[in-house]
Amino acid sequence: MEIPVIDLTPYVDVASGKFSCDERLHPELKTVCLEVSRILKETGALLVRDPRCSNEDNDRFIDMMEKYFEQPKEVKRVQERPHQHYQVGSKPGGVEIPRSLVDHEMQKNLRALPKDRQPKIPTGPDLKSQYMWRVGPRPSKTRFKELNSEPVIPEGFPEWKKIMDSWGFKMISTVEAVAELAAIGFDLPKDTFTNLMKLGPHLLGPTGSDLGSHGEEGTVFAGYHYDINFLTIHYKSKFPGLNIWLRNGEKVEVKVPDGCLLIQAGKQLEWMTAGECKAGMHEVVVTESTLAAIEAAKRENRSLWRVSSSLFSNVASDVVLKPLEHFAKSPLAANYPPMYAGDYFEKELSMINLKGKNGS
């Protein structure tokens, strides 16, 4: 199946005051709300078009990140913060273990998929590098200081903070729009999710995959996994290679239309809906389409680093994760016991990061 594109323009019109949004709700917007919640429930993924996010914004961001990732490893090492779970600054390749290598239940589920829908099974840690940039204000008091650390700014990039914050805030605005639409579609108050997102440790976390050094078909840059945050949002990459799995088990090589963004459900949304929305599974591998894009980049003398324009939105670390309102009555709610979002986050990070607080 193809993932339909949701146009967020009606929401943006409401936000800008073009027409009012009261309890009766504009009919066109109500339809959008129901579509957003239905698609998230049925597929775990969503394509949206937001007039506030442009190709130019993304290109400026990608161009800067290509220059960053192209630097020697010893230069990027200065920005590494292993004692903070690599949740700020640079995360080198070889640190993160694909969940499919450590989660036995996931291994059982993926083996049950038909052969043509199974992911590429990695043999070791992810090859991808990553840069973690905190977007938005931090809480003045929190039990999880390491998850709310200040951003790390590399030398030699005078526009770094401006570009990262500008693009990060725009993507968060898109996530907030989807969060409100989804809440209404799920018959919850529209600010149910956005209230929990306030002061959340949102991460603009572009990944860098070196296709010049690891450009062979079948190479796994990010092994089969789900995200542990609320909603993950991506703008279009210059290189294909992202595969996602829909709720029905169908494997889809993502083709994001120009000017659109891909949103995937994370584990926090699954928790708050008692599993009605499942966290979306995905991987990044070198495919035939990737090889064609590599050859085109070589002809045009462009960078061979595949940069993902990704942001990981989160609920606040001190929020208690639990099934919300009518979802708490679900027979599956017992599978999602109450726990601090920060505790869940740290537990998951300890499972997938090879190098812990001591960098060992």
Side-chain angles (χ1 to χ4, degrees):
M1 66 177 289
E2 287 194 5
I3 305 171
V5 176
I6 299 294
D7 188 356
L8 296 182
T9 301
Y11 170 88
V12 175
D13 288 342
V14 167
S16 65
K18 200 167 184 177
F19 57 74
S20 62
C21 181
D22 56 21
E23 290 302 316
R24 295 185 297 277
L25 204 63
H26 189 280
E28 181 182 359
L29 193 55
K30 181 65 174 180
T31 300
V32 175
C33 295
L34 294 172
E35 271 292 277
V36 166
S37 59
R38 179 188 68 80
I39 296 169
L40 281 174
K41 177 181 176 180
E42 293 180 1
T43 72
L46 190 69
L47 285 169
V48 300
R49 189 182 303 277
D50 189 332
R52 299 169 296 182
C53 294
S54 69
N55 284 327
E56 291 74 20
D57 291 325
N58 185 57
D59 288 345
R60 185 173 63 153
F61 170 76
I62 294 288
D63 290 346
M64 184 180 74
M65 292 311 306
E66 286 175 347
K67 293 182 175 65
Y68 176 81
F69 285 123
E70 287 168 353
Q71 296 179 114
K73 291 181 180 179
E74 57 270 20
V75 175
K76 293 180 283 189
R77 193 170 294 127
V78 177
Q79 288 88 49
E80 292 178 14
R81 300 292 186 272
H83 60 289
Q84 295 174 333
H85 305 287
Y86 292 101
Q87 289 302 288
V88 288
S90 178
K91 180 195 287 188
V95 164
E96 191 167 323
I97 306 170
R99 189 169 298 276
S100 49
L101 287 185
V102 295
D103 188 323
H104 299 300
E105 183 67 24
M106 185 181 293
Q107 292 169 5
K108 177 182 175 182
N109 292 338
L110 68 85
R111 283 195 298 266
L113 293 171
K115 289 291 184 183
D116 61 340
R117 294 186 176 186
Q118 290 184 3
K120 185 77 175 178
I121 304 301
T123 57
D126 285 343
L127 289 174
K128 73 176 189 297
S129 302
Q130 198 164 18
Y131 202 97
M132 300 297 203
W133 178 260
R134 295 282 182 215
V135 180
R138 306 272 67 79
S140 56
K141 293 182 179 180
T142 176
R143 299 172 64 244
F144 306 97
K145 293 182 179 180
E146 291 175 354
L147 296 180
N148 294 277
S149 305
E150 289 301 312
V152 178
I153 302 176
E155 293 183 3
F157 294 86
E159 290 196 308
W160 183 275
K161 188 177 188 304
K162 178 181 177 182
I163 291 174
M164 298 295 269
D165 283 345
S166 173
W167 188 225
F169 278 114
K170 287 186 178 183
M171 295 180 87
I172 286 177
S173 294
T174 302
V175 170
E176 289 175 338
V178 170
E180 289 198 350
L181 295 172
I184 295 170
F186 284 129
D187 199 25
L188 299 169
K190 77 169 186 177
D191 57 1
T192 297
F193 297 128
T194 50
N195 278 343
L196 299 177
M197 290 171 63
K198 290 176 181 176
L199 301 181
H202 310 305
L203 277 173
L204 182 57
T207 59
S209 302
D210 187 359
L211 296 171
S213 301
H214 305 283
E216 301 80 19
E217 186 174 359
T219 299
V220 180
F221 281 103
Y224 184 72
H225 68 287
Y226 57 75
D227 291 335
I228 60 178
N229 54 294
F230 172 54
L231 290 173
T232 302
I233 182 169
H234 315 265
Y235 208 83
K236 187 173 184 177
S237 173
K238 294 180 182 178
F239 296 91
L242 173 63
N243 293 324
I244 67 173
W245 278 259
L246 306 183
R247 184 76 177 264
N248 64 3
E250 183 178 350
K251 178 181 178 181
V252 177
E253 184 171 2
V254 177
K255 297 177 181 177
V256 179
D258 289 341
C260 292
L261 303 102
L262 171 71
I263 290 179
Q264 275 197 290
K267 204 66 175 180
Q268 290 176 349
L269 179 59
E270 179 179 328
W271 213 281
M272 292 185 286
T273 60
E276 187 152 331
C277 281
K278 286 287 189 181
M281 306 303 301
H282 49 287
E283 68 178 2
V284 177
V285 299
V286 177
T287 65
E288 289 184 8
S289 302
T290 316
L291 295 178
I294 290 172
E295 291 307 310
K298 287 179 178 177
R299 290 194 298 270
E300 298 166 13
N301 198 30
R302 291 189 284 108
S303 175
L304 292 180
W305 277 83
R306 181 191 187 278
V307 176
S308 73
S309 188
S310 305
L311 182 135
F312 305 91
S313 69
N314 284 278
V315 302
S317 302
D318 295 274
V319 161
V320 175
L321 275 181
K322 60 182 179 180
L324 302 175
E325 302 208 9
H326 60 83
F327 292 115
K329 300 176 184 178
S330 164
L332 299 178
N335 296 329
Y336 301 93
M339 66 187 307
Y340 285 110
D343 283 333
Y344 171 75
F345 211 85
E346 289 186 339
K347 182 187 75 170
E348 293 291 301
L349 289 175
S350 67
M351 178 185 294
I352 63 176
N353 278 351
L354 272 176
K355 298 180 181 180
K357 290 188 177 183
N358 299 322
S360 57

